Amino acid sequence: MFMMFAMTSDSVGEIIKEVKVAFDVTNAQASLMHSLPMLGIAMSGLLLGFLADKLGRKPTIILGLGLFGVACYSFLIANDFVFIVALMSLSGVAVGIFKTGALALIGDISQSTRQHTSTMNGAEAFFGVGAIIGPLIVAWLIHRGVPWQYLYVIAGGICTLLIIIAGFARYPKYVAAQNNSVDQVSLKKSLKLVKNPYALGFSVGAFLYVAAESAIYVWMPSYLVCDAVSVRDAYACYSEGAARQLAIYSVTAFFILRALGRFVGIWMMSRFNWALVLLLFSGAIVVCFTGGLLGGKQVALYLFPLTGIFMSVIYPTFNSKGISCFQKHQHGSVAGVILFFTAAGAAAGPLIMGLVSDAMGGDAKYGFIVATGFAVLLFIGLLYNYLANPTQKRLTEVELSDYGTQS
């Protein structure tokens, strides 16, 4: 599921190039193909995240996958810009539904909060794989003269298979909150989680992380382009060979390193202090961003893609620890809250960076200064988290009540 979602969401950059030519739309209009699906995910996670706790994991996952499949197959008849954006927005709503169900399910199958973090890194690693192969599929389709819409048809086929698997799979026993319980699941109680310090803290962290991360795959290509007069000379300032190839495929290099880092994170986060790892990695991101800005394009060429390694484990760990601070019958709701802030960061981050860059004459480096600010705030928050360890008591309590153990 995570891979399928990433195949479509992280291919938007390639798709936008085709849509702008086909429908003669402006950059602002084309940006809706990114921002509206993110808004759909955000609102779906916040307003519908409780469904995983109310209906159960399996019905919620199948519901979300079914809605996503309908949106994907509808791209076969999508020949209008407004219709295309509407379908992308619908797919965002669907992702918010099935992803909160999947995130809650990870808690059900985990035997401890430490294992929860390790498993979450594994799931997000497959998201990283999808982010790599999605744009490659779009490029291959276009090269073969096949409409890019068939990427969604392929995703729809995977979605259909996932629905079948989900229907026959045996899920762990899930017990929802009883009617007379003070924790009875509802939209109102789900929204109240936004005020909870644990949910809010990890959600703000997710927002800052995604806002900084999006600078790489949205604005890095613009920052690395040379001051050239034609597309052909866009990378003429780099020496022939590996450097120029890295400039051309810098985003792919970032996604590969991020995916590899998440697979390593399965092992790493089950053995080391998660707070220390996140502190060190967030500090490395600040160093890479600062070095890439001070050293210019020739240095950023190496440091910006390298952040993929350091960014790899941060978001899965935020998700895992944030969800683990709550009882299992609340996992869907809190996953929805974190997902809301995640999607908000993905939508707002690039927009703020673009506005600042435009205000300063269009140079993408000013957008990266903003991204560095996000990374610094993230580092400060994780420094406090490491020194004060505010979640230790809460995680221990949940460990004992939900898992019967203490990790």
Side-chain angles (χ1 to χ4, degrees), residues 10-92:
D10 285 13
S11 299
V12 170
E14 294 292 331
I15 294 172
I16 284 177
K17 293 190 299 185
E18 299 299 312
V19 169
K20 285 177 62 179
V21 174
F23 299 103
D24 191 26
V25 296
T26 65
N27 287 326
Q29 291 170 329
S31 68
L32 295 175
M33 299 175 65
H34 171 75
S35 58
L36 288 184
M38 291 298 105
L39 180 62
I41 294 173
M43 299 311 298
S44 177
L46 184 64
L47 301 179
L48 300 177
F50 75 96
L51 291 177
D53 300 325
K54 187 78 170 181
L55 304 178
R57 316 315 192 199
K58 177 183 283 193
T60 302
I61 289 174
I62 293 177
L63 173 62
L65 287 175
L67 194 59
F68 189 84
V70 169
C72 285
Y73 288 126
S74 296
F75 273 92
L76 284 170
I77 57 174
N79 55 6
D80 176 79
F81 178 71
V82 174
F83 188 30
I84 288 173
V85 173
L87 289 178
M88 287 185 164
S89 302
L90 177 62
S91 69

Side-chain angles (χ1 to χ4, degrees), residues 85-171:
V85 173
L87 289 178
M88 287 185 164
S89 302
L90 177 62
S91 69
V93 173
V95 168
I97 295 173
F98 75 67
K99 190 170 182 180
T100 51
L103 292 174
L105 179 62
I106 290 175
D108 293 345
I109 64 176
S110 300
Q111 301 303 313
S112 67
T113 57
R114 185 179 292 271
Q115 185 187 22
H116 190 282
T117 301
S118 179
T119 305
M120 190 73 75
N121 271 276
E124 291 289 350
F126 280 92
F127 181 94
V129 172
I132 297 169
I133 65 177
L136 293 178
I137 292 174
V138 173
W140 180 81
L141 290 172
I142 294 172
H143 178 72
R144 302 287 295 183
V146 180
W148 60 264
Q149 286 92 329
Y150 277 86
L151 169 71
Y152 282 85
V153 177
I154 294 172
I158 297 174
C159 187
T160 301
L161 179 62
L162 288 172
I163 291 173
I164 296 173
I165 294 174
F168 285 96
R170 294 182 59 186
Y171 280 48

Side-chain angles (χ1 to χ4, degrees), residues 178-263:
Q178 299 300 312
N179 291 336
N180 59 353
S181 172
V182 294
D183 291 325
Q184 183 184 0
V185 177
S186 68
L187 174 59
K188 183 178 180 180
K189 291 186 178 296
S190 178
L191 293 176
K192 281 185 177 180
L193 284 175
V194 177
K195 299 180 181 180
N196 184 284
Y198 299 110
L200 182 60
F202 283 107
S203 294
V204 171
F207 179 95
L208 293 172
Y209 163 75
V210 174
E213 179 199 48
S214 62
I216 296 294
Y217 61 81
V218 174
W219 292 114
M220 179 172 64
S222 298
Y223 180 70
L224 294 180
V225 168
C226 304
D227 297 324
V229 295
S230 68
V231 176
R232 184 177 181 180
D233 299 324
Y235 301 105
C237 59
Y238 303 102
S239 59
E240 293 287 350
R244 186 169 297 188
Q245 290 299 309
L246 179 57
I248 295 172
Y249 298 105
S250 57
V251 175
T252 301
F254 166 77
F255 282 143
I256 289 174
L257 290 175
R258 190 183 67 174
L260 290 176
R262 284 176 175 171
F263 279 112

